[in-house]
Amino acid sequence: MLVRRVWPGRPTFNASLSDFEQARQEMLRLFDSMANESPTSPSGVFPPLNVGQDEDNVFVRAEIPGINPEQLSISVLRNRVSIAGKREIQLEQGRAAYHRRERPEGSFSRTLTLPVEVDAERVDARYADGILTLTLPKAEAAKPRQIEVRT
Amino acid sequence: MTAPEPTRPGQVHSPATDIFETDEAITVLADMPGVRADALQIDLRDNVLTLTGRVLRQEGNYEAELLCEFQPSTFYRQFTLSERIDQSKIDAKLTAGVLRLELPKIERAKPRQIQVRTG
């Protein structure tokens, strides 16, 4: 039988103790990472999304600051929405000395499954103030229908 | 956190910031998605730079929430500047939720060669 050790064993007399210590450290590290994590993206995904709906539309909002809208690719198929793109930050040329570089850059991609099918032909996408807003009209078949009761 | 607590309820975030410096200026870039120019305050006094940006609640029809990963919040951050800044030449631009703040340094007296004349 193959046994995979979670922590590397130590061939010393206090091996069990050091394993325990390592586990404790790992727990502390996990707690720390949870405490420091920004509440905006609870699972560390980018971009953070808000999704809402009213009777006719589903709204998807994404926080994507400082991006060229041409670098965004949005695709909709039935009840699946994909947002992908790339954020590029141009470094200052010349004799600029950086004190801080915290703004993230790179490629991102997220796919959402909506609770209803939407009309891909009439989806509207708007980008303003660093927020992407998608308005996705619900497909006719997905809209609630009034049923008349016959007497 | 040493900053005073805001009176308005809601989350306060520290915006991700890039800062770089050249001989002429210090430039601050801060990600503040959802902040419009009229809701952004930039304050510089006693060498302390304070950035405050408020995200206003999205107006619109009644919506049922399905997923919420970010909320209308406030971006707040303070920096201490070690250089003297020319207040009259500060330039701030807000594009697509990113603030670019140029803080030109006060021009120092340029080094000058003094010719010694012999008489």
Side-chain angles (χ1 to χ4, degrees), chain A residues 67-113:
Chain A
I67 192 173
N68 179 354
E70 285 167 14
Q71 297 268 32
L72 276 175
S73 117
I74 299 154
S75 62
V76 179
L77 177 68
R78 291 161 71 173
N79 64 341
R80 306 248 280 178
V81 183
S82 294
I83 301 171
K86 197 172 180 191
R87 187 182 188 209
E88 286 170 335
I89 294 175
Q90 261 144 25
L91 285 184
E92 286 298 309
Q93 301 297 316
R95 284 174 302 151
Y98 270 86
H99 298 308
R100 279 167 198 270
R101 281 196 62 197
E102 300 168 354
R103 297 165 64 227
E105 64 175 331
S107 301
F108 54 84
S109 150
R110 276 195 86 174
T111 303
L112 269 180
T113 305

mmCIF file of all heavy atoms in Angstrom, chain A residues 67-113:
data_model
loop_
_atom_site.group_PDB
_atom_site.id
_atom_site.type_symbol
_atom_site.label_atom_id
_atom_site.label_comp_id
_atom_site.label_asym_id
_atom_site.label_seq_id
_atom_site.Cartn_x
_atom_site.Cartn_y
_atom_site.Cartn_z
ATOM 1 N N ILE A 67 -8.853 49.063 -17.354
ATOM 2 C CA ILE A 67 -8.616 48.135 -18.455
ATOM 3 C C ILE A 67 -9.131 48.790 -19.727
ATOM 4 O O ILE A 67 -10.052 49.605 -19.694
ATOM 5 C CB ILE A 67 -9.307 46.786 -18.183
ATOM 6 C CG1 ILE A 67 -8.813 45.731 -19.166
ATOM 7 C CG2 ILE A 67 -10.800 46.900 -18.240
ATOM 8 C CD1 ILE A 67 -9.309 44.357 -18.872
ATOM 9 N N ASN A 68 -8.490 48.432 -20.821
ATOM 10 C CA ASN A 68 -8.971 48.888 -22.111
ATOM 11 C C ASN A 68 -10.134 47.969 -22.505
ATOM 12 O O ASN A 68 -9.949 46.759 -22.580
ATOM 13 C CB ASN A 68 -7.811 48.777 -23.108
ATOM 14 C CG ASN A 68 -8.200 49.207 -24.485
ATOM 15 O OD1 ASN A 68 -9.362 49.498 -24.759
ATOM 16 N ND2 ASN A 68 -7.230 49.242 -25.362
ATOM 17 N N PRO A 69 -11.339 48.529 -22.747
ATOM 18 C CA PRO A 69 -12.492 47.657 -23.039
ATOM 19 C C PRO A 69 -12.245 46.724 -24.220
ATOM 20 O O PRO A 69 -12.855 45.658 -24.310
ATOM 21 C CB PRO A 69 -13.607 48.650 -23.350
ATOM 22 C CG PRO A 69 -13.195 49.922 -22.736
ATOM 23 C CD PRO A 69 -11.703 49.937 -22.714
ATOM 24 N N GLU A 70 -11.327 47.106 -25.095
ATOM 25 C CA GLU A 70 -11.036 46.219 -26.224
ATOM 26 C C GLU A 70 -10.318 44.944 -25.791
ATOM 27 O O GLU A 70 -10.264 43.966 -26.529
ATOM 28 C CB GLU A 70 -10.170 46.959 -27.253
ATOM 29 C CG GLU A 70 -10.987 47.954 -28.049
ATOM 30 C CD GLU A 70 -10.120 48.918 -28.834
ATOM 31 O OE1 GLU A 70 -8.919 48.656 -28.977
ATOM 32 O OE2 GLU A 70 -10.671 49.934 -29.286
ATOM 33 N N GLN A 71 -9.755 44.974 -24.589
ATOM 34 C CA GLN A 71 -9.053 43.791 -24.075
ATOM 35 C C GLN A 71 -10.006 42.817 -23.384
ATOM 36 O O GLN A 71 -9.559 41.824 -22.821
ATOM 37 C CB GLN A 71 -7.985 44.218 -23.069
ATOM 38 C CG GLN A 71 -6.899 45.063 -23.656
ATOM 39 C CD GLN A 71 -5.742 44.222 -24.121
ATOM 40 O OE1 GLN A 71 -5.922 43.094 -24.553
ATOM 41 N NE2 GLN A 71 -4.544 44.766 -24.041
ATOM 42 N N LEU A 72 -11.289 43.156 -23.389
ATOM 43 C CA LEU A 72 -12.266 42.286 -22.735
ATOM 44 C C LEU A 72 -12.938 41.408 -23.768
ATOM 45 O O LEU A 72 -13.270 41.866 -24.853
ATOM 46 C CB LEU A 72 -13.348 43.138 -22.071
ATOM 47 C CG LEU A 72 -13.085 43.688 -20.688
ATOM 48 C CD1 LEU A 72 -14.225 44.600 -20.296
ATOM 49 C CD2 LEU A 72 -12.961 42.567 -19.680
ATOM 50 N N SER A 73 -13.136 40.161 -23.410
ATOM 51 C CA SER A 73 -13.908 39.316 -24.305
ATOM 52 C C SER A 73 -15.035 38.707 -23.496
ATOM 53 O O SER A 73 -14.812 38.097 -22.447
ATOM 54 C CB SER A 73 -12.985 38.288 -24.956
ATOM 55 O OG SER A 73 -13.344 37.006 -24.595
ATOM 56 N N ILE A 74 -16.242 38.927 -23.972
ATOM 57 C CA ILE A 74 -17.430 38.486 -23.253
ATOM 58 C C ILE A 74 -18.197 37.557 -24.176
ATOM 59 O O ILE A 74 -18.453 37.907 -25.328
ATOM 60 C CB ILE A 74 -18.309 39.690 -22.870
ATOM 61 C CG1 ILE A 74 -17.521 40.634 -21.956
ATOM 62 C CG2 ILE A 74 -19.592 39.243 -22.193
ATOM 63 C CD1 ILE A 74 -17.986 42.049 -22.023
ATOM 64 N N SER A 75 -18.523 36.396 -23.680
ATOM 65 C CA SER A 75 -19.315 35.499 -24.519
ATOM 66 C C SER A 75 -20.481 34.951 -23.711
ATOM 67 O O SER A 75 -20.381 34.729 -22.503
ATOM 68 C CB SER A 75 -18.456 34.376 -25.087
ATOM 69 O OG SER A 75 -17.946 33.604 -24.043
ATOM 70 N N VAL A 76 -21.588 34.791 -24.400
ATOM 71 C CA VAL A 76 -22.816 34.333 -23.767
ATOM 72 C C VAL A 76 -23.367 33.183 -24.588
ATOM 73 O O VAL A 76 -23.487 33.290 -25.810
ATOM 74 C CB VAL A 76 -23.861 35.468 -23.706
ATOM 75 C CG1 VAL A 76 -25.153 34.974 -23.072
ATOM 76 C CG2 VAL A 76 -23.321 36.660 -22.948
ATOM 77 N N LEU A 77 -23.654 32.077 -23.922
ATOM 78 C CA LEU A 77 -24.306 30.964 -24.606
ATOM 79 C C LEU A 77 -25.361 30.414 -23.658
ATOM 80 O O LEU A 77 -25.027 29.917 -22.594
ATOM 81 C CB LEU A 77 -23.280 29.887 -24.977
ATOM 82 C CG LEU A 77 -23.877 28.655 -25.643
ATOM 83 C CD1 LEU A 77 -24.423 28.991 -27.019
ATOM 84 C CD2 LEU A 77 -22.834 27.561 -25.753
ATOM 85 N N ARG A 78 -26.596 30.533 -24.054
ATOM 86 C CA ARG A 78 -27.746 30.081 -23.265
ATOM 87 C C ARG A 78 -27.694 30.667 -21.853
ATOM 88 O O ARG A 78 -28.025 31.815 -21.680
ATOM 89 C CB ARG A 78 -27.828 28.572 -23.300
ATOM 90 C CG ARG A 78 -28.211 28.112 -24.708
ATOM 91 C CD ARG A 78 -27.891 26.686 -24.975
ATOM 92 N NE ARG A 78 -28.788 25.812 -24.219
ATOM 93 C CZ ARG A 78 -28.808 24.496 -24.382
ATOM 94 N NH1 ARG A 78 -27.989 23.930 -25.228
ATOM 95 N NH2 ARG A 78 -29.636 23.769 -23.712
ATOM 96 N N ASN A 79 -27.279 29.867 -20.866
ATOM 97 C CA ASN A 79 -27.254 30.445 -19.523
ATOM 98 C C ASN A 79 -25.834 30.552 -18.984
ATOM 99 O O ASN A 79 -25.617 30.609 -17.786
ATOM 100 C CB ASN A 79 -28.132 29.629 -18.566
ATOM 101 C CG ASN A 79 -27.612 28.228 -18.377
ATOM 102 O OD1 ASN A 79 -26.830 27.735 -19.197
ATOM 103 N ND2 ASN A 79 -28.013 27.586 -17.309
ATOM 104 N N ARG A 80 -24.869 30.592 -19.895
ATOM 105 C CA ARG A 80 -23.479 30.700 -19.455
ATOM 106 C C ARG A 80 -22.880 32.005 -19.947
ATOM 107 O O ARG A 80 -23.003 32.359 -21.126
ATOM 108 C CB ARG A 80 -22.655 29.549 -20.003
ATOM 109 C CG ARG A 80 -23.255 28.203 -19.664
ATOM 110 C CD ARG A 80 -22.416 27.459 -18.722
ATOM 111 N NE ARG A 80 -21.299 26.815 -19.379
ATOM 112 C CZ ARG A 80 -20.396 26.125 -18.701
ATOM 113 N NH1 ARG A 80 -20.463 26.050 -17.401
ATOM 114 N NH2 ARG A 80 -19.418 25.543 -19.343
ATOM 115 N N VAL A 81 -22.234 32.691 -19.042
ATOM 116 C CA VAL A 81 -21.584 33.953 -19.375
ATOM 117 C C VAL A 81 -20.107 33.823 -19.046
ATOM 118 O O VAL A 81 -19.750 33.390 -17.953
ATOM 119 C CB VAL A 81 -22.167 35.119 -18.548
ATOM 120 C CG1 VAL A 81 -21.537 36.431 -18.958
ATOM 121 C CG2 VAL A 81 -23.660 35.182 -18.698
ATOM 122 N N SER A 82 -19.267 34.183 -19.993
ATOM 123 C CA SER A 82 -17.828 34.162 -19.739
ATOM 124 C C SER A 82 -17.262 35.561 -19.902
ATOM 125 O O SER A 82 -17.592 36.260 -20.855
ATOM 126 C CB SER A 82 -17.112 33.231 -20.719
ATOM 127 O OG SER A 82 -17.513 31.919 -20.487
ATOM 128 N N ILE A 83 -16.434 35.953 -18.962
ATOM 129 C CA ILE A 83 -15.742 37.235 -19.044
ATOM 130 C C ILE A 83 -14.252 36.923 -18.968
ATOM 131 O O ILE A 83 -13.792 36.297 -18.006
ATOM 132 C CB ILE A 83 -16.143 38.170 -17.894
ATOM 133 C CG1 ILE A 83 -17.651 38.422 -17.903
ATOM 134 C CG2 ILE A 83 -15.383 39.490 -17.978
ATOM 135 C CD1 ILE A 83 -18.147 39.147 -16.677
ATOM 136 N N ALA A 84 -13.542 37.313 -19.999
ATOM 137 C CA ALA A 84 -12.104 37.082 -19.986
ATOM 138 C C ALA A 84 -11.419 38.355 -20.444
ATOM 139 O O ALA A 84 -12.014 39.182 -21.132
ATOM 140 C CB ALA A 84 -11.729 35.921 -20.901
ATOM 141 N N GLY A 85 -10.196 38.511 -20.066
ATOM 142 C CA GLY A 85 -9.481 39.710 -20.474
ATOM 143 C C GLY A 85 -8.090 39.725 -19.925
ATOM 144 O O GLY A 85 -7.619 38.763 -19.312
ATOM 145 N N LYS A 86 -7.455 40.833 -20.164
ATOM 146 C CA LYS A 86 -6.074 40.977 -19.749
ATOM 147 C C LYS A 86 -5.877 42.402 -19.256
ATOM 148 O O LYS A 86 -6.309 43.347 -19.916
ATOM 149 C CB LYS A 86 -5.152 40.696 -20.928
ATOM 150 C CG LYS A 86 -3.746 40.414 -20.516
ATOM 151 C CD LYS A 86 -2.927 39.957 -21.702
ATOM 152 C CE LYS A 86 -1.507 39.676 -21.279
ATOM 153 N NZ LYS A 86 -0.642 39.477 -22.410
ATOM 154 N N ARG A 87 -5.259 42.508 -18.132
ATOM 155 C CA ARG A 87 -4.957 43.838 -17.615
ATOM 156 C C ARG A 87 -3.459 44.041 -17.705
ATOM 157 O O ARG A 87 -2.689 43.256 -17.144
ATOM 158 C CB ARG A 87 -5.403 43.949 -16.167
ATOM 159 C CG ARG A 87 -5.264 45.355 -15.659
ATOM 160 C CD ARG A 87 -5.651 45.467 -14.213
ATOM 161 N NE ARG A 87 -5.685 46.860 -13.852
ATOM 162 C CZ ARG A 87 -5.449 47.311 -12.636
ATOM 163 N NH1 ARG A 87 -5.205 46.481 -11.669
ATOM 164 N NH2 ARG A 87 -5.475 48.595 -12.398
ATOM 165 N N GLU A 88 -3.093 45.076 -18.430
ATOM 166 C CA GLU A 88 -1.676 45.353 -18.605
ATOM 167 C C GLU A 88 -1.353 46.690 -17.956
ATOM 168 O O GLU A 88 -2.065 47.671 -18.155
ATOM 169 C CB GLU A 88 -1.320 45.417 -20.093
ATOM 170 C CG GLU A 88 -1.307 44.045 -20.725
ATOM 171 C CD GLU A 88 -1.198 44.090 -22.223
ATOM 172 O OE1 GLU A 88 -1.602 45.113 -22.817
ATOM 173 O OE2 GLU A 88 -0.730 43.105 -22.798
ATOM 174 N N ILE A 89 -0.296 46.689 -17.206
ATOM 175 C CA ILE A 89 0.137 47.935 -16.581
ATOM 176 C C ILE A 89 1.488 48.286 -17.162
ATOM 177 O O ILE A 89 2.442 47.510 -17.047
ATOM 178 C CB ILE A 89 0.203 47.801 -15.045
ATOM 179 C CG1 ILE A 89 -1.209 47.596 -14.505
ATOM 180 C CG2 ILE A 89 0.845 49.025 -14.427
ATOM 181 C CD1 ILE A 89 -1.278 47.340 -13.033
ATOM 182 N N GLN A 90 1.516 49.425 -17.825
ATOM 183 C CA GLN A 90 2.781 49.828 -18.420
ATOM 184 C C GLN A 90 3.677 50.448 -17.360
ATOM 185 O O GLN A 90 3.269 51.357 -16.640
ATOM 186 C CB GLN A 90 2.537 50.826 -19.552
ATOM 187 C CG GLN A 90 2.568 50.141 -20.895
ATOM 188 C CD GLN A 90 1.579 50.720 -21.866
ATOM 189 O OE1 GLN A 90 1.207 51.876 -21.738
ATOM 190 N NE2 GLN A 90 1.159 49.912 -22.810
ATOM 191 N N LEU A 91 4.867 49.909 -17.275
ATOM 192 C CA LEU A 91 5.814 50.460 -16.317
ATOM 193 C C LEU A 91 6.360 51.770 -16.850
ATOM 194 O O LEU A 91 6.483 51.962 -18.055
ATOM 195 C CB LEU A 91 6.967 49.486 -16.097
ATOM 196 C CG LEU A 91 6.632 48.269 -15.246
ATOM 197 C CD1 LEU A 91 7.880 47.452 -15.023
ATOM 198 C CD2 LEU A 91 6.064 48.711 -13.917
ATOM 199 N N GLU A 92 6.686 52.633 -15.940
ATOM 200 C CA GLU A 92 7.270 53.903 -16.342
ATOM 201 C C GLU A 92 8.677 53.665 -16.869
ATOM 202 O O GLU A 92 9.456 52.902 -16.300
ATOM 203 C CB GLU A 92 7.322 54.858 -15.152
ATOM 204 C CG GLU A 92 5.987 55.420 -14.791
ATOM 205 C CD GLU A 92 5.374 56.245 -15.905
ATOM 206 O OE1 GLU A 92 6.031 57.154 -16.442
ATOM 207 O OE2 GLU A 92 4.219 55.954 -16.251
ATOM 208 N N GLN A 93 8.941 54.290 -17.951
ATOM 209 C CA GLN A 93 10.268 54.158 -18.530
ATOM 210 C C GLN A 93 11.182 55.212 -17.912
ATOM 211 O O GLN A 93 10.721 56.145 -17.269
ATOM 212 C CB GLN A 93 10.204 54.365 -20.043
ATOM 213 C CG GLN A 93 9.282 53.380 -20.740
ATOM 214 C CD GLN A 93 9.747 51.951 -20.590
ATOM 215 O OE1 GLN A 93 10.924 51.657 -20.731
ATOM 216 N NE2 GLN A 93 8.831 51.058 -20.269
ATOM 217 N N GLY A 94 12.440 55.023 -18.149
ATOM 218 C CA GLY A 94 13.394 56.031 -17.718
ATOM 219 C C GLY A 94 13.812 55.862 -16.278
ATOM 220 O O GLY A 94 13.904 54.744 -15.776
ATOM 221 N N ARG A 95 13.999 56.982 -15.602
ATOM 222 C CA ARG A 95 14.621 56.924 -14.292
ATOM 223 C C ARG A 95 13.605 56.927 -13.163
ATOM 224 O O ARG A 95 13.794 57.563 -12.146
ATOM 225 C CB ARG A 95 15.579 58.096 -14.143
ATOM 226 C CG ARG A 95 16.876 57.896 -14.906
ATOM 227 C CD ARG A 95 17.706 59.141 -14.826
ATOM 228 N NE ARG A 95 16.977 60.300 -15.366
ATOM 229 C CZ ARG A 95 17.162 61.542 -14.965
ATOM 230 N NH1 ARG A 95 18.027 61.801 -14.033
ATOM 231 N NH2 ARG A 95 16.488 62.529 -15.518
ATOM 232 N N ALA A 96 12.487 56.245 -13.375
ATOM 233 C CA ALA A 96 11.488 56.195 -12.326
ATOM 234 C C ALA A 96 11.853 55.094 -11.335
ATOM 235 O O ALA A 96 12.154 53.978 -11.726
ATOM 236 C CB ALA A 96 10.119 55.928 -12.922
ATOM 237 N N ALA A 97 11.836 55.441 -10.051
ATOM 238 C CA ALA A 97 12.105 54.455 -9.012
ATOM 239 C C ALA A 97 10.775 54.086 -8.368
ATOM 240 O O ALA A 97 10.047 54.955 -7.903
ATOM 241 C CB ALA A 97 13.054 55.036 -7.975
ATOM 242 N N TYR A 98 10.466 52.787 -8.366
ATOM 243 C CA TYR A 98 9.195 52.349 -7.790
ATOM 244 C C TYR A 98 9.308 52.181 -6.288
ATOM 245 O O TYR A 98 10.216 51.527 -5.793
ATOM 246 C CB TYR A 98 8.741 51.039 -8.433
ATOM 247 C CG TYR A 98 7.880 51.279 -9.652
ATOM 248 C CD1 TYR A 98 8.442 51.482 -10.901
ATOM 249 C CD2 TYR A 98 6.504 51.345 -9.533
ATOM 250 C CE1 TYR A 98 7.653 51.717 -12.011
ATOM 251 C CE2 TYR A 98 5.703 51.585 -10.633
ATOM 252 C CZ TYR A 98 6.274 51.770 -11.870
ATOM 253 O OH TYR A 98 5.494 52.018 -12.953
ATOM 254 N N HIS A 99 8.370 52.789 -5.567
ATOM 255 C CA HIS A 99 8.301 52.589 -4.124
ATOM 256 C C HIS A 99 7.308 51.491 -3.792
ATOM 257 O O HIS A 99 7.477 50.749 -2.835
ATOM 258 C CB HIS A 99 7.868 53.886 -3.434
ATOM 259 C CG HIS A 99 8.831 55.004 -3.651
ATOM 260 N ND1 HIS A 99 10.176 54.876 -3.404
ATOM 261 C CD2 HIS A 99 8.656 56.269 -4.091
ATOM 262 C CE1 HIS A 99 10.783 56.021 -3.677
ATOM 263 N NE2 HIS A 99 9.877 56.878 -4.105
ATOM 264 N N ARG A 100 6.239 51.436 -4.557
ATOM 265 C CA ARG A 100 5.219 50.415 -4.325
ATOM 266 C C ARG A 100 4.691 49.911 -5.654
ATOM 267 O O ARG A 100 4.487 50.703 -6.570
ATOM 268 C CB ARG A 100 4.016 51.023 -3.577
ATOM 269 C CG ARG A 100 4.212 51.134 -2.115
ATOM 270 C CD ARG A 100 3.127 52.013 -1.546
ATOM 271 N NE ARG A 100 3.509 52.480 -0.246
ATOM 272 C CZ ARG A 100 3.224 51.817 0.875
ATOM 273 N NH1 ARG A 100 2.555 50.698 0.823
ATOM 274 N NH2 ARG A 100 3.612 52.285 2.036
ATOM 275 N N ARG A 101 4.487 48.620 -5.732
ATOM 276 C CA ARG A 101 3.803 48.060 -6.901
ATOM 277 C C ARG A 101 2.807 47.035 -6.401
ATOM 278 O O ARG A 101 3.155 45.898 -6.152
ATOM 279 C CB ARG A 101 4.800 47.409 -7.857
ATOM 280 C CG ARG A 101 5.536 48.411 -8.721
ATOM 281 C CD ARG A 101 6.186 47.733 -9.888
ATOM 282 N NE ARG A 101 5.171 47.101 -10.726
ATOM 283 C CZ ARG A 101 5.456 46.163 -11.626
ATOM 284 N NH1 ARG A 101 6.681 45.756 -11.775
ATOM 285 N NH2 ARG A 101 4.498 45.649 -12.346
ATOM 286 N N GLU A 102 1.586 47.466 -6.228
ATOM 287 C CA GLU A 102 0.570 46.577 -5.657
ATOM 288 C C GLU A 102 -0.525 46.240 -6.655
ATOM 289 O O GLU A 102 -1.247 45.274 -6.473
ATOM 290 C CB GLU A 102 -0.114 47.258 -4.458
ATOM 291 C CG GLU A 102 0.819 47.626 -3.342
ATOM 292 C CD GLU A 102 0.167 48.551 -2.333
ATOM 293 O OE1 GLU A 102 -0.979 48.997 -2.577
ATOM 294 O OE2 GLU A 102 0.801 48.830 -1.318
ATOM 295 N N ARG A 103 -0.663 47.063 -7.684
ATOM 296 C CA ARG A 103 -1.793 46.872 -8.590
ATOM 297 C C ARG A 103 -1.570 45.608 -9.418
ATOM 298 O O ARG A 103 -0.533 45.436 -10.033
ATOM 299 C CB ARG A 103 -1.960 48.101 -9.477
ATOM 300 C CG ARG A 103 -2.297 49.351 -8.657
ATOM 301 C CD ARG A 103 -2.112 50.619 -9.448
ATOM 302 N NE ARG A 103 -3.024 50.676 -10.551
ATOM 303 C CZ ARG A 103 -2.669 50.998 -11.797
ATOM 304 N NH1 ARG A 103 -1.427 51.278 -12.065
ATOM 305 N NH2 ARG A 103 -3.559 51.053 -12.735
ATOM 306 N N PRO A 104 -2.567 44.729 -9.395
ATOM 307 C CA PRO A 104 -2.386 43.452 -10.069
ATOM 308 C C PRO A 104 -2.507 43.582 -11.579
ATOM 309 O O PRO A 104 -3.206 44.456 -12.083
ATOM 310 C CB PRO A 104 -3.530 42.597 -9.515
ATOM 311 C CG PRO A 104 -4.577 43.573 -9.123
ATOM 312 C CD PRO A 104 -3.880 44.849 -8.757
ATOM 313 N N GLU A 105 -1.826 42.707 -12.287
ATOM 314 C CA GLU A 105 -1.977 42.670 -13.731
ATOM 315 C C GLU A 105 -1.935 41.220 -14.190
ATOM 316 O O GLU A 105 -1.550 40.331 -13.444
ATOM 317 C CB GLU A 105 -0.896 43.489 -14.436
ATOM 318 C CG GLU A 105 0.504 42.969 -14.253
ATOM 319 C CD GLU A 105 1.502 43.754 -15.086
ATOM 320 O OE1 GLU A 105 1.132 44.275 -16.146
ATOM 321 O OE2 GLU A 105 2.657 43.831 -14.666
ATOM 322 N N GLY A 106 -2.357 41.028 -15.428
ATOM 323 C CA GLY A 106 -2.354 39.682 -15.970
ATOM 324 C C GLY A 106 -3.690 39.312 -16.568
ATOM 325 O O GLY A 106 -4.588 40.137 -16.666
ATOM 326 N N SER A 107 -3.789 38.057 -16.983
ATOM 327 C CA SER A 107 -5.006 37.579 -17.626
ATOM 328 C C SER A 107 -5.983 37.064 -16.576
ATOM 329 O O SER A 107 -5.576 36.592 -15.526
ATOM 330 C CB SER A 107 -4.689 36.452 -18.598
ATOM 331 O OG SER A 107 -3.787 36.917 -19.562
ATOM 332 N N PHE A 108 -7.244 37.169 -16.910
ATOM 333 C CA PHE A 108 -8.260 36.639 -16.006
ATOM 334 C C PHE A 108 -9.390 36.068 -16.839
ATOM 335 O O PHE A 108 -9.549 36.396 -18.013
ATOM 336 C CB PHE A 108 -8.788 37.720 -15.059
ATOM 337 C CG PHE A 108 -9.297 38.952 -15.753
ATOM 338 C CD1 PHE A 108 -10.602 39.008 -16.244
ATOM 339 C CD2 PHE A 108 -8.482 40.044 -15.931
ATOM 340 C CE1 PHE A 108 -11.068 40.138 -16.892
ATOM 341 C CE2 PHE A 108 -8.940 41.175 -16.590
ATOM 342 C CZ PHE A 108 -10.225 41.226 -17.064
ATOM 343 N N SER A 109 -10.172 35.225 -16.231
ATOM 344 C CA SER A 109 -11.291 34.620 -16.926
ATOM 345 C C SER A 109 -12.250 34.037 -15.900
ATOM 346 O O SER A 109 -11.826 33.406 -14.932
ATOM 347 C CB SER A 109 -10.764 33.535 -17.858
ATOM 348 O OG SER A 109 -11.709 32.528 -18.013
ATOM 349 N N ARG A 110 -13.507 34.306 -16.084
ATOM 350 C CA ARG A 110 -14.520 33.730 -15.189
ATOM 351 C C ARG A 110 -15.727 33.311 -16.006
ATOM 352 O O ARG A 110 -16.116 34.001 -16.935
ATOM 353 C CB ARG A 110 -14.962 34.750 -14.133
ATOM 354 C CG ARG A 110 -14.058 34.792 -12.947
ATOM 355 C CD ARG A 110 -14.693 35.515 -11.803
ATOM 356 N NE ARG A 110 -15.529 34.639 -10.984
ATOM 357 C CZ ARG A 110 -16.098 35.023 -9.862
ATOM 358 N NH1 ARG A 110 -15.962 36.252 -9.432
ATOM 359 N NH2 ARG A 110 -16.829 34.188 -9.162
ATOM 360 N N THR A 111 -16.306 32.225 -15.636
ATOM 361 C CA THR A 111 -17.519 31.746 -16.288
ATOM 362 C C THR A 111 -18.591 31.551 -15.230
ATOM 363 O O THR A 111 -18.323 31.011 -14.161
ATOM 364 C CB THR A 111 -17.258 30.422 -17.023
ATOM 365 O OG1 THR A 111 -16.206 30.638 -17.950
ATOM 366 C CG2 THR A 111 -18.490 29.963 -17.765
ATOM 367 N N LEU A 112 -19.767 32.060 -15.547
ATOM 368 C CA LEU A 112 -20.886 31.997 -14.630
ATOM 369 C C LEU A 112 -21.992 31.177 -15.256
ATOM 370 O O LEU A 112 -22.231 31.275 -16.460
ATOM 371 C CB LEU A 112 -21.463 33.394 -14.441
ATOM 372 C CG LEU A 112 -20.992 34.307 -13.351
ATOM 373 C CD1 LEU A 112 -21.773 35.586 -13.454
ATOM 374 C CD2 LEU A 112 -21.223 33.668 -12.005
ATOM 375 N N THR A 113 -22.685 30.418 -14.441
ATOM 376 C CA THR A 113 -23.909 29.776 -14.912
ATOM 377 C C THR A 113 -25.076 30.513 -14.277
ATOM 378 O O THR A 113 -25.173 30.585 -13.058
ATOM 379 C CB THR A 113 -23.924 28.295 -14.512
ATOM 380 O OG1 THR A 113 -22.722 27.698 -15.003
ATOM 381 C CG2 THR A 113 -25.108 27.583 -15.124
#
